[in-house]
Amino acid sequence: MSGSPAVVMRLVASAYTVAEKAGAIVRKVLHSGELGIVEKTGANDLQTLADRLAQQSICASLYRRFPKITIIGEEDLPAEEIKEDLIENGHSEEILQKTCPAEYSGLKEEELVVWVDPLDGTKEYTEGLLDNVTVLIGIAYEGKAIAGVINQPFYNYQLGSGAELGRTMWGMPGLGAFGFTLKEAPGDRRIITTTRSHSNKVVTECVDAMEPHEVIKVGGAGNKIIQLVEGRASAYVFASLGCKKWDTCAPEAILTAVGGKLTDMHGNAYRYDANVKHMNSAGVLATLRNHEYYVSRVPQSVRQALKTD
């Protein structure tokens, strides 16, 4: 066993190429012009052909190689035969060369839970705000997010037809994060990133309580965490229902790997066990630095409005 990579490293290495394949599917559907949009619970909760195909690709590809893992995906899809051209069998050799943190080296397939958002930022995808869109694959063990992969299918799309589209980042607490350049937001400015399309009175009240110098409203939980680790925002503040475990598992793992933190609005960690409620019902607060400061600024009225799980 000594010469063979740990199960979790093999899973992350596969998730990396699987996320890239899903990103390619998301681009292909957009370029076809046939998005196949359906409303799930309303106009702000959409599903497209890209969501469906990307999830089929991710789940089928990972199950083929790791049949004992538990996968929980955003889209509730009927069981059906998956076309072979949706299957990704590759893996990242670079990830396999990394040394697995000792605490995870003996984990078994059946102990791992994979949370999948095949297309985070679907509303923005349908509206052409393509830099908001991500593919999220998070890996959890004993309720903790221990690895995450984020693919941005349209990274560089503003540069025009000559640019190479897309990038993939990944991270693992105890090992580090890769695929981007870590940068902190200016220390003398509080820049808050929050929801673009799911705001309400409580959300606004909580953002205002942070006394921000600037507020950025964008779509996608994955996109907001990228803003934190690339220095464009100091805190992601979302004092509402709406965010689910598949939105936060992968981003939390990457954020934690670089010393950041993601909790509910009370400062409590979320759990990612297979049997937990999918909704992050006490909101999301994420920071690269100074997490306690932002938790301390959450008004009592917001804490009371958002019950912990």
Side-chain angles (χ1 to χ4, degrees), residues 101-292:
E103 61 195 299
Y104 306 137
S105 60
L107 301 188
K108 300 183 180 72
E109 266 183 52
E110 55 268 33
E111 295 177 302
L112 300 172
V113 181
V114 179
W115 292 87
V116 173
D117 191 337
L119 201 171
D120 183 39
T122 301
K123 189 174 189 328
E124 287 71 26
Y125 178 67
T126 65
E127 294 171 358
L129 298 169
L130 302 179
D131 51 338
N132 290 199
V133 173
T134 59
V135 175
L136 306 175
I137 304 177
I139 299 166
Y141 165 67
E142 290 190 339
K144 285 194 177 70
I146 64 163
V149 178
I150 299 179
N151 175 271
Q152 281 183 291
F154 300 101
Y155 180 72
N156 275 346
Y157 86 102
Q158 299 99 327
L159 299 182
S161 56
E164 186 179 340
L165 276 184
R167 68 167 170 175
T168 305
M169 54 183 70
W170 69 280
M172 198 169 181
L175 184 58
F178 309 88
F180 64 97
T181 302
L182 180 65
K183 186 179 174 191
E184 292 190 30
D188 58 348
R189 286 174 61 75
R190 284 183 298 281
I191 306 168
I192 306 299
T193 183
T194 192
T195 184
R196 176 181 161 265
S197 54
H198 299 279
S199 198
N200 59 40
K201 180 173 172 289
V202 176
V203 169
T204 305
E205 182 186 347
C206 194
V207 168
D208 290 345
M210 303 294 159
E211 297 184 342
H213 297 92
E214 184 183 348
V215 177
I216 305 168
K217 295 184 176 181
V218 293
N223 179 41
K224 295 183 189 75
I225 298 301
I226 292 170
Q227 289 188 316
L228 295 181
V229 299
E230 293 197 320
R232 294 193 297 278
S234 328
Y236 165 24
V237 179
F238 182 53
S240 176
L241 298 172
C243 218
K244 311 274 197 342
K245 300 293 187 300
W246 45 72
D247 294 311
T248 53
C249 185
E252 179 177 340
I254 291 174
L255 185 61
T256 306
V258 294
K261 201 164 184 181
L262 186 149
T263 66
D264 66 15
M265 301 309 294
H266 304 269
N268 300 320
Y270 278 114
R271 292 190 62 89
Y272 297 97
D273 308 274
N275 59 352
V276 296
K277 282 198 312 186
H278 295 166
M279 180 70 75
N280 292 331
S281 52
V284 174
L285 178 59
T287 59
L288 184 58
R289 303 286 179 260
N290 306 318
H291 196 79
E292 286 65 32

